[in-house]
Amino acid sequence: MRDRKDSPRLLPGARGVEAPSVCAACGGVCCKNQPGAVFPEDVGFPEEPERLISMLRSGRYAIDWWEGDIDPEGDLDVCYFVRPAARGREGQTRHASWGNDPCTFLTETGCALPFEERPRGCRMLTPGPEGKDCQPREGSTKADACRAWRPYHEELVEIIVQIESGYFQKVPDPGAFLLTRESPYVILKAERGESR
Ligand code: SF4
Ligand code: SF4
């Protein structure tokens, strides 16, 4: 059993668009298709990397990707972004969803997360009349998420590698350990000449 440090928590405070009656009548067509995109500010990244690591380690969140570089001037093979896990894929750190992947947080009565803890991609999806033509607003699409995460590509790669290698299972408190000089995250930033 995981301890409280692994509990997924998004930062509170970010607003969004909520229309409970419209969405209740719809039943979550968007959530049944694909989990919404998490943005760096949702999880306090890069200031609090332990938050994202805990979410990924919980198995309820995954890293998805954009094929190719979202930056037309860039040369990345993929651009990573974060989202809740797809149902049945919990515990899979990387998973590319192409749709028809219901979100792990969708229940019979709606989203299990409080509104302000939902990903920006969910909060900013504006329900259309009668639940049709729902539109993402203010830069909240999957492409926007990939653009937002792109500056942290190396950090995401490092986190994926360390989670999949079981690195964080070797330390009693990954959050605290991330603040030490031995942390792969700190080493990575030091190599790039950045300080925390
Ligand atoms: S945002 Fe649109 S698709 Fe999603 S639950 Fe609400 S009405 Fe349905
Ligand atoms: S987090 Fe909630 S609102 Fe977002 S896709 Fe999942 S169930 Fe839907």
Side-chain angles (χ1 to χ4, degrees):
M1 179 179 293
R2 296 187 181 280
D3 61 25
R4 289 173 62 85
K5 296 188 190 70
D6 285 338
S7 299
R9 301 286 291 182
L10 295 178
L11 288 177
R15 307 301 305 175
V17 184
E18 193 175 24
S21 59
V22 178
C23 294
C26 161
V29 168
C30 53
C31 314
K32 291 174 184 169
N33 181 53
Q34 203 168 56
V38 174
F39 282 62
E41 72 263 22
D42 291 335
V43 293
F45 200 89
E47 294 81 8
E48 301 175 71
E50 64 274 16
R51 185 179 296 267
L52 174 62
I53 291 168
S54 292
M55 291 167 68
L56 291 169
R57 292 187 68 221
S58 78
R60 304 300 299 275
Y61 288 84
I63 290 181
D64 200 338
W65 58 90
W66 182 277
E67 295 284 350
D69 201 320
I70 194 73
D71 179 352
E73 306 288 320
D75 60 359
L76 295 177
D77 293 333
V78 294
C79 283
Y80 291 121
F81 71 103
V82 180
R83 59 164 170 72
R87 190 179 298 156
R89 298 282 191 159
E90 291 88 352
Q92 196 172 322
T93 306
R94 288 179 291 174
H95 173 230
S97 171
W98 297 94
N100 198 26
D101 276 318
C103 178
T104 185
F105 293 116
L106 182 62
T107 72
E108 289 186 0
T109 55
C111 180
L113 298 176
F115 183 76
E116 291 195 342
E117 293 185 12
R118 295 175 195 168
R120 175 181 171 82
C122 307
R123 298 192 320 271
M124 303 304 283
L125 183 59
T126 305
E130 300 177 2
K132 294 186 171 58
D133 298 324
C134 305
Q135 297 291 332
R137 54 190 262 177
E138 297 181 16
S140 59
T141 65
K142 169 181 167 179
D144 292 323
C146 292
R147 272 188 283 273
W149 282 105
R150 191 182 184 286
Y152 312 117
H153 182 79
E154 290 180 47
E155 284 85 346
L156 291 178
V157 170
E158 183 72 5
I159 287 170
I160 292 168
V161 168
Q162 299 301 347
I163 288 177
E164 292 183 345
S165 72
Y167 173 83
F168 294 113
Q169 292 167 12
K170 300 173 189 167
V171 294
D173 186 344
F177 192 77
L178 278 167
L179 303 177
T180 75
R181 294 172 61 84
E182 296 169 81
S183 157
Y185 182 83
V186 171
I187 291 170
L188 184 72
K189 296 197 77 152
E191 288 173 350
R192 288 166 48 176
E194 301 172 17
S195 59
R196 286 183 55 88

